[in-house]
Amino acid sequence: QGWAGRWSENSLWWELMALLFWDVVFARIPGVWEPSFGEFPSRMQDMPSDLFHDDFYSKRSTLVVERTARLQSIFLADEIKHQHRIHFGKPCRPIEDWDRWPLESLIAVASRASGSVVLGVTTHLLRDFREHRRGLPDLVLWRGDEFGVAEVKGPGDRLSAEQKVWLGRFAELGVSTSLIKISSPRQKSAVPRGATQSDGSAEKEARARLRKGMKAMPLPAGFREAAKALRTLIRTERKQHGDCSALLR
């Protein structure tokens, strides 16, 4: 159906926040950094001391407003490229691993989502990074001018409170949101212990139930294909490693 996307979760959005608001996060406000430790940021201080404090935003609200106004007047993709080039590799707590997200992935998301969405998400993170840094959707998807996010849940999983808040926030920003439920293709056999079941009826029934569930999911057009792709990945992972827990983290 022409859909593309990225498995994003939290860290991709953290990196976009840090790159777009680098000078805000690392503003040399008295009391939030230690000059005797040298450069800021550095290995000795890879974040302001109040990053996880309630008053982080209030100390920088004017800086955030000014920076947001500036970002609204330029191409975010170009700014991300620029900030990535000059800051790549520097110690930065919100960016856990500079190699985790290729620049192309960051640009892809920033280019497909509208500027208001990217800035809406990143400024929401800045307002309370301690509380808002968790629960961002697993998937970002796009096709042409369409953009959406989706949370993926395996058997028995439920949305956390943080995930519900973020799905609501994306919806407020005009983004299509979905919950993709992945059903297990396996089913415990009802055949008595010691007996064998050679006709594969249990497996066929499980697959039929999974297909029925996929068709019934209330997803925007194209999201179902993403779920099918995830199902294929899960099957491959199970064959190779015996489980699929790494795909659902």
Side-chain angles (χ1 to χ4, degrees), residues 229-247:
L230 285 172
R231 182 181 63 182
T232 300
L233 288 174
I234 287 172
R235 287 176 174 173
T236 301
E237 190 75 8
R238 280 179 172 153
K239 288 180 180 179
Q240 294 178 349
H241 305 293
D243 65 26
C244 63
S245 57
L247 292 174

Side-chain angles (χ1 to χ4, degrees), residues 3 13 109 112-113 117 140-142 145-149 170 175-176:
W3 283 89
W13 294 102
V109 174
R112 268 67 179 200
V117 170
V140 292
L141 299 167
W142 59 82
D145 294 333
E146 298 177 80
F147 181 82
V149 297
F170 274 98
V175 176
S176 178

Side-chain angles (χ1 to χ4, degrees), residues 41-217:
S42 68
R43 293 182 64 184
M44 291 289 291
Q45 45 187 348
D46 61 355
M47 68 175 191
S49 61
D50 63 344
L51 179 62
F52 297 102
H53 293 186
D54 294 338
D55 60 352
F56 173 84
Y57 182 84
S58 63
K59 291 179 181 178
R60 300 165 177 80
S61 59
T62 300
L63 294 176
V64 172
V65 170
E66 292 175 350
R67 177 60 175 164
T68 301
R70 167 62 179 160
L71 291 171
Q72 289 172 335
S73 67
I74 61 178
F75 291 109
L76 294 186
D78 291 342
E79 183 65 7
I80 290 169
K81 290 179 184 178
H82 172 69
Q83 295 295 328
H84 192 272
R85 178 178 58 79
I86 63 177
H87 296 304
F88 181 83
K90 293 181 180 179
C92 175
R93 185 70 60 89
I95 303 178
E96 297 176 330
D97 181 359
W98 279 97
D99 294 321
R100 179 169 185 178
W101 296 110
L103 178 59
E104 292 74 16
S105 294
L106 302 173
I107 296 300
V109 174
S111 300
R112 268 67 179 200
S114 66
S116 60
V117 170
V118 175
L119 294 178
V121 172
T122 52
T123 54
H124 191 64
L125 283 168
L126 288 169
R127 284 186 175 277
D128 193 338
F129 190 66
R130 180 182 63 187
E131 295 297 326
H132 297 168
R133 73 185 190 277
R134 302 186 185 92
L136 284 136
D138 293 318
L139 290 171
V140 292
L141 299 167
W142 59 82
R143 181 178 63 181
D145 294 333
E146 298 177 80
F147 181 82
V149 297
E151 190 67 43
V152 180
K153 290 298 176 187
D157 289 340
R158 296 182 178 180
L159 288 173
S160 67
E162 293 85 358
Q163 289 167 340
K164 291 178 181 178
V165 169
W166 269 114
L167 288 176
R169 179 59 181 154
F170 274 98
E172 291 172 358
L173 293 169
V175 176
S176 178
T177 65
S178 291
L179 172 62
I180 299 177
K181 293 184 177 180
I182 305 297
S183 301
S184 173
R186 297 183 178 182
Q187 180 184 35
K188 291 185 177 179
S189 174
V191 177
R193 183 178 298 179
T196 59
Q197 182 173 344
S198 59
D199 63 357
S201 60
E203 183 178 355
K204 291 178 181 178
E205 182 181 349
R207 288 180 177 176
R209 189 172 60 254
L210 179 59
R211 287 194 296 269
K212 182 179 180 182
M214 291 293 296
K215 292 178 181 178
M217 284 193 299

